[in-house]
Amino acid sequence: MIRILDITKAWYSRNTNAKKRNMAHNNNNLMGKITALCKRRGFIFPGSEIYGGLAGTWDYGPLGVLFKNNIKKEWWRSIVELREDVVGIDAAILMNPKVWEASGHVEAFADPLIECKICHERFRQDAKEDISEHEKMHEGKDEKKPEWTEPRQFNLLVKAFLGVVEEEKRTVYLRGEITQGVYANFRNVLDSTQMKIPFGIAQIGKAFRNEITPGNFTFRSREFEQMELQFFIKPEEKESEQWYDYWKEERLKWYADLGMKKENLRFRDHEPSEKAHYARFATDVEYLTPAWGWKEFEGIHHRGEWDLKRHSEFSGKDLSYYDEESGKRFIPWVIETSGGVDRTALFFLIDAYFEDAMGSEQRVVLRFHPKLAPIKVGVFPLLANKPKLVEKARSIYNALKPNFVCAWDDRGNIGKRYYSQDEIGTPWCVTVDFETLENGTVTVRDRDTAQQERIRVDGLKNYFEDKLR
Ligand code: ATP
């Protein structure tokens, strides 16, 4: 079930920029509106909905898949394609179970869980809000506050069974994070490329966790995607701290460059008690959500030599690195940036959602960065019952389509079509009118300003390419 929480007064007082936010962000049911829009316009659907759903799973619809792919494409471009010191891999989801013993997940990938003694519902011990909501529910219904069991560790790895003979099936795990596929391939990458430390291996892919309390829309799902970089460096304190700071800044800049508002972003360093035992430093990139306060959507970790050392011990393979410059052999240290694609998509959506007054009309607009917008250009004939306009508009649509993701719309009146594209974040709409037939120009309407300018049809490709650059 989608849990929709109201914006709290506390959040308003904490958010010094609240006054600057537009009316949409003052609305106390913003998340309800966003989840409804996602369903209505084909961004995100509840998983297996026609069978009553499956908690913690979500399906991306026709617009959602374009949007999510754009996020991954931009990440891959900035982390892999535009750099000389990072290569990418795509490891299998299913791995030898020993990987998860080496990584510590079999033993310690667990959340402490408490159980309500009245109804036996379970919660993460740190889900304070959910627990207090649950207590209030019982106080209202049973007139008593529930007692809770002592916390028990609950392993988050999802098991699967491989093999054709029932009795001989082998237990494997659906990966709980994509990270381990990189370490398992460290030697392969070193041997098959000319990468020299410092260098990174990047990956995007699905991960699975048996989350106790999935919820808050896609925020906590049982199947989700991660985009991660493992950056291998020399085992030197000072240099490693510099790389850690470097990647923190790079990652924050990436979100801001793609339009996420800076005032909604912050780092939160891990408390000593929450830091993984091998992590030297760890910080979360957090976003200020309207309904749930500050929430993590990327972790940046200084993991030291722990992972490669463990995999070396468990596999019996040498995962050390020989540094030609110094003539020294060592196990590299790792700085990791681990982002969630689904949380990033959700926070870009929240950040982009606005309700504007356009003259006497209200509109909903997703002010996505054009690079993230699922559709770049909408193309319309001014009137659908004028064959010459339709024919010309079709020819423009067909000419633009190989270069930009375009939408065709000839329903209803032109104003409705603009609003329909605004609601899904299309940055530009091209309208073919009678002047087009006379002088070869069209109107291009800008989503954010609603201003229109006349552009020559033969200049449209360059015009949009420039804008996207
Ligand atoms: P949380 O504390 O919220 O459970 P985490 O610290 O366990 O998250 P990491 O293991 O650091 O998360 O994973 C890196 C990123 O993967 C997270 O920042 C998040 O964006 C994403 N992620 C992790 N778990 C989930 C989930 N259940 N649903 C969606 N995304 C997730």
Side-chain angles (χ1 to χ4, degrees), residues 58-315:
W58 297 93
D59 297 337
Y60 287 77
L63 292 177
V65 69
L66 290 169
F67 176 53
K68 192 156 97 143
N69 281 345
N70 288 342
I71 293 173
K72 292 190 278 184
K73 206 156 64 188
E74 286 305 313
W75 186 87
W76 193 261
R77 189 153 171 70
S78 83
I79 296 283
V80 182
E81 291 171 8
L82 294 177
R83 300 184 66 101
E84 284 180 37
D85 55 358
V86 177
V87 288
I89 64 161
D90 182 12
I93 287 175
L94 300 175
M95 302 179 81
N96 188 309
K98 272 194 176 165
V99 167
W100 303 104
E101 287 170 31
S103 68
H105 283 76
V106 171
E107 198 187 327
F109 191 42
D111 277 337
L113 180 83
I114 57 171
E115 190 174 306
C116 166
K117 286 189 179 169
I118 300 176
C119 68
H120 304 290
E121 201 173 331
R122 293 170 178 180
F123 293 87
R124 276 165 67 127
Q125 193 187 13
D126 62 359
K128 303 281 182 233
E129 278 179 24
D130 293 350
I131 291 169
S132 106
E133 245 179 65
H134 191 79
E135 287 179 345
K136 276 191 209 130
M137 183 273 290
H138 276 300
E139 277 164 3
K141 211 167 74 179
D142 311 322
E143 290 177 1
K144 60 176 174 188
K145 196 171 177 171
E147 285 176 36
W148 297 95
T149 61
E150 285 302 308
R152 280 209 322 252
Q153 294 299 321
F154 178 83
N155 195 293
L156 300 176
L157 281 178
V158 178
K159 280 186 186 164
F161 305 97
L162 278 188
V164 280
V165 180
E166 199 57 42
E167 298 74 41
E168 292 171 16
K169 276 190 176 158
R170 187 176 190 194
T171 302
V172 292
Y173 301 100
L174 301 186
R175 61 184 176 195
E177 61 178 25
I178 62 170
T179 327
Q180 302 306 323
V182 168
Y183 299 134
N185 281 290
F186 176 71
R187 183 89 266 152
N188 283 336
V189 172
L190 267 190
D191 292 347
S192 60
T193 66
Q194 272 127 52
M195 301 312 281
K196 298 227 175 331
I197 272 175
F199 81 94
I201 304 179
Q203 185 174 210
I204 298 179
K206 291 258 181 173
F208 304 83
R209 292 184 190 177
N210 210 349
E211 293 283 358
I212 303 152
T213 42
N216 289 353
F217 199 17
T218 57
F219 179 80
R220 190 169 299 288
S221 308
R222 291 184 166 139
E223 174 178 340
F224 55 94
E225 260 183 302
Q226 294 182 309
M227 40 192 188
E228 287 195 351
L229 169 70
Q230 309 299 319
F231 198 75
F232 301 95
I233 54 176
K234 285 185 191 159
E236 285 171 13
E237 290 294 346
K238 192 145 183 269
E239 201 177 310
S240 72
E241 280 173 35
Q242 283 165 352
W243 276 115
Y244 177 72
D245 289 340
Y246 168 84
W247 280 111
K248 274 174 67 179
E249 291 316 312
E250 281 293 297
R251 295 305 304 134
L252 204 67
K253 186 170 173 302
W254 186 81
Y255 291 111
D257 284 352
L258 284 172
M260 219 177 260
K261 292 185 204 80
K262 285 195 182 131
E263 65 266 27
N264 290 340
L265 288 169
R266 75 170 187 192
F267 290 119
R268 189 188 64 83
D269 290 343
H270 284 201
E271 300 291 335
S273 60
E274 59 178 322
K275 221 163 39 181
H277 61 91
Y278 50 82
R280 287 159 174 264
F281 309 108
T283 198
D284 290 338
V285 185
E286 293 190 332
Y287 177 82
L288 182 60
T289 64
W292 320 306
W294 288 100
K295 286 286 178 193
E296 168 196 342
F297 65 121
E298 171 153 349
I300 299 171
H301 312 121
H302 183 323
R303 298 175 71 119
E305 64 173 10
W306 197 81
D307 305 272
L308 285 180
K309 199 161 166 224
R310 289 276 291 194
H311 283 298
S312 200
E313 283 164 15
F314 277 69
S315 68

